[in-house]
Amino acid sequence: MKTHRLRAATPSSGARACLRACPQPFFTVLLPLAAALAALSAPSPSYAQAAPATAAQSESARVYAIAPGPLNDALAAFARQAGISLGYSSSQLSGARSAGLNGQYGVEDGLRALLAGTGYRAVNVDGGIRVEAEPPSATSTLAPVLVTGAYHAQTEGTQSYGSSMATIGKTEQALKDIPQSVTVVTRKRLDDQNLSTISEVLENTTGVTISEVADGGRNFYSRGFKITNIQYDGVPLSRSFYAVGNSFTGSTAYLDRVEVFRGAQGLFEGAGQPGGSVNLVRKRPTAETQVLMEARAGSWDHVGGMLDAGGALNADGSLRARAVLDLDSKGSSIDVVKERNTNLYFALDYDLSPSTTVGAGVLVSRLRSTPFFGGLPRYSDGSSLGLKRSTFLGADWNQWDRDETQVFADLTHRFNGDWRVNVAATYVKETSLTSALDATGAVDPVTLMRPMRNAWNYDKSAEHIGFDANVNGRFTVLGMAQDLTVGVSMSRLTSKDRIEYASNYLPLDVFHPNPHVPKPDSFPDSQRTSRYEPHVQKGIYAQLRSSLTEDLTLVSGGRFSWFESRYTTQAATWDDVSTAKASAEFTPMVGLVYALTPQWSAYASYADIFEPQTATTLDGSILKPIVGANYEVGVKGELMDGKLNTSFALYRIDQKNRAVQDYEAGPVCNGGYCSRAAGKVRSQGFEAEMSGELMRGLQVAAGYTFNSNKYLSDPDREGQTFSEETPRHLLRLWSEYRLPGQLNRLSVGAGVNWQSALTNSISKVRRPSYSVWNARVAYDVTSNWTAALNVNNLFDKVYYEYPGYVENRNNYGAPRSVTLTLRGRF
């Protein structure tokens, strides 16, 4: 069963930005191609269907322009234009065609006309609409589906942990038709697990691990490589260069889902690392009026609330709005630490015509906190100090003020039932002001002294601009379906960071820390300013999905990228400039998908991605880019009438051309060694994943990852582990069961996150394997209100999140905590 909701993307001021910044050949190729394809695919006037003279011109009547074609596509177009959702089985409708629909109709009359002569009918069930075979040919009963909005892959309202579709590849595609690994974290799972920040989502996602940097930011890894690109509704931005500002503290209240792609995503993103990418998909306005409310309270003085309201603003529903306000305040298991988060989101969608929809929105996020950065030290022999998990080694004047503003706009124009163009742009501005005291230095086991406190100020700001425009559509060659996507993209980052330190500011007794210490009047030890001016990449890409036979599909594509980056650092006694550049760098992708049965597919794929370098060779030239290649084979299943997704993948990533020191040339580069592009690393393993309804009433999201990685070629580290942040074994599991019969109002949930041991090769600190169990009990108080109690770290496991150093960066995982949530939907 699939619920079809087609999204309407929109234009923006970013279009003008790209006209200035993108190479002109991009538009000279894209726009004429869009016009030509539209002309070739336009329906013949003889097939146009006139509107009947019916009295069904109700307040909900709209003008439709749906071309003749496959019934699947016609229904998707109708759902999109009507602002409703339809439940039906895509496999059941395979091969059926519709004569299309032109004119003004109400929903019921429109569906009746669209389905005329197809052998199918629309049925109202429990307030939803499903499409089923007309009697007597009906062979099965389809479960009713009701989802607000008009977007295919939208998960809000589905009440499922599984989504059969994803949009991280520019178009809506079934997961089993994508020859790479993709996880979709749905809105229901975000709510059930109380995954309130993007960081919490990734920490509970198959194959993703974290590492905290000393200044509070977080890095995320997939398949042993850092995730460097973040997409916002499919528009990629490079945000890994801004660790503090990009610590993923942002709320998930405005998101419909999070899509996590594992492997090399060079085709649609350009430069980056081959581990994966994340697509944050925002909630969009709904045609139906709805109000969502949430109140929460929990451990450590945690209180918060959310209000989410949306619906049509005019009689015909062509103008729709949505607003989300989320407020949250909480303390911490760590003494003194606290934070307040405010997130305000507003979005509009407007149908300029039955074929054209524009949208725009803004998100404002504000964090005010008293943080603890740097973590705890250890004894000099590497053993744990055994400190309480509440130990705070900072000062009561520690401060972190983070502000982020996102503005986005997009446009979708549907030439007909087969072809459309999408244009989207995103702008992100963020500032991060930090004043903090932390601790560093191993503790002498005899004297119990030596750690010192360091004070520092960070003043960081950045602006990101992303733009993407693409044309996608369907045509046939020798009777076989072909799906083509052609597009251009651009991203630009500028930043300014000012950092100052006061090292060894005060001595510290870690066993009796005092947070009430004075703030330094000056920071004499280190002051420097760094800038990206700018960090830019542009690209043109294409992907073709070709049906070679009824069961075999070839997916092929490629991207040409232009990249330029200049990073400068200015200190009191020194300065430095690092530059990187790539011109027309080509990143290919090719895959085969074979339909074993209507429910199972097997696939194989190759994709790569490049990463420019700043190191120089003996002759002074910059090293050629690092290339990361992902090889993958696997099987995917869409079971239980489409309600359950399963996958198993074997993968290998080879990353070559990495900079290594050129010992043969000697220390002739400013007193140090030059570099050679001769390093190579390999990461390989397998993943197994399941998401959706495993049996009636039981929702599950489970993923297991095995990974082995090492240096294949490196004069200093050959044979050693490459990614010390990546465990060999990683399990993510969460499930919820709704009791049957008279206990149907009650549901229970439970899950575990487990990972194997890790060792820091520098400090030799070993973090043992650990598992953390979580649980939930929920009760539907009424048909509109649900109360839930979540317990995290159910058995109060004491553990370190990852192996740190003897000097610092040893962070306890959070102790047991409880959160009571009351949610209402109207």
Side-chain angles (χ1 to χ4, degrees), residues 421-438:
V421 60
N422 305 295
V423 182
T426 294
Y427 168 81
V428 178
K429 179 178 176 61
E430 51 190 341
T431 61
S432 179
L433 301 175
T434 308
S435 296
L437 193 71
D438 63 14

Side-chain angles (χ1 to χ4, degrees), residues 203-413:
E203 289 174 48
N204 287 273
T205 299
T206 300
V208 179
T209 55
I210 67 167
S211 174
E212 187 167 325
V213 298
D215 53 11
R218 285 191 161 191
N219 293 321
F220 293 86
Y221 296 83
S222 170
R223 298 183 174 178
F225 298 89
K226 187 189 297 185
I227 296 175
T228 57
N229 292 321
I230 305 297
Q231 295 185 25
Y232 296 84
D233 285 333
V235 179
L237 297 178
S238 298
R239 302 193 64 192
S240 66
F241 305 97
Y242 199 57
V244 173
N246 189 30
S247 61
F248 294 94
T249 57
S251 170
T252 59
Y254 73 103
L255 296 179
D256 171 74
R257 64 189 181 278
V258 177
E259 300 175 345
V260 180
F261 177 99
R262 294 184 297 281
Q265 181 66 313
L267 174 61
F268 295 121
E269 294 187 346
Q273 294 199 24
S277 177
V278 176
N279 186 26
L280 306 179
V281 185
R282 306 177 181 98
K283 293 177 178 177
R284 300 303 292 250
T286 58
E288 300 87 354
T289 299
Q290 68 171 26
V291 177
L292 310 177
M293 302 176 67
E294 179 180 308
R296 49 188 176 266
S299 302
W300 310 309
D301 300 321
H302 182 193
V303 293
M306 185 270 293
L307 177 64
D308 178 347
L313 299 182
N314 57 2
D316 65 1
S318 60
L319 179 62
R320 303 171 296 280
R322 186 152 192 181
V324 181
L325 174 63
D326 186 78
L327 304 173
D328 200 76
S329 175
K330 59 186 174 183
S332 170
S333 60
I334 303 174
D335 294 339
V336 184
V337 172
K338 59 184 177 181
E339 67 177 46
R340 298 190 315 276
N341 276 283
T342 303
N343 293 272
L344 176 62
Y345 172 73
F346 181 74
L348 284 171
D349 279 350
Y350 180 58
D351 298 328
L352 294 174
S353 72
S355 343
T356 306
T357 303
V358 297
V362 60
L363 170 71
V364 178
S365 298
R366 173 174 170 160
L367 168 72
R368 297 293 180 266
S369 74
T370 303
F372 176 41
F373 293 146
L376 304 173
R378 289 177 173 265
Y379 285 116
S380 55
D381 62 5
S383 60
S384 172
L385 297 177
L387 298 172
K388 294 181 179 179
R389 287 178 287 181
S390 61
T391 301
F392 176 74
L393 302 183
D396 53 10
W397 47 261
N398 277 19
Q399 178 182 359
W400 184 18
D401 294 348
R402 179 182 178 276
D403 294 278
E404 178 178 336
T405 300
Q406 296 180 21
V407 180
F408 70 91
D410 48 39
L411 173 146
T412 293
H413 175 73

Side-chain angles (χ1 to χ4, degrees), residues 54-73:
T54 173
Q57 308 287 338
S58 65
E59 291 184 1
S60 61
R62 294 190 180 187
V63 175
Y64 296 92
I66 300 174
L71 183 56
N72 268 321
D73 294 345

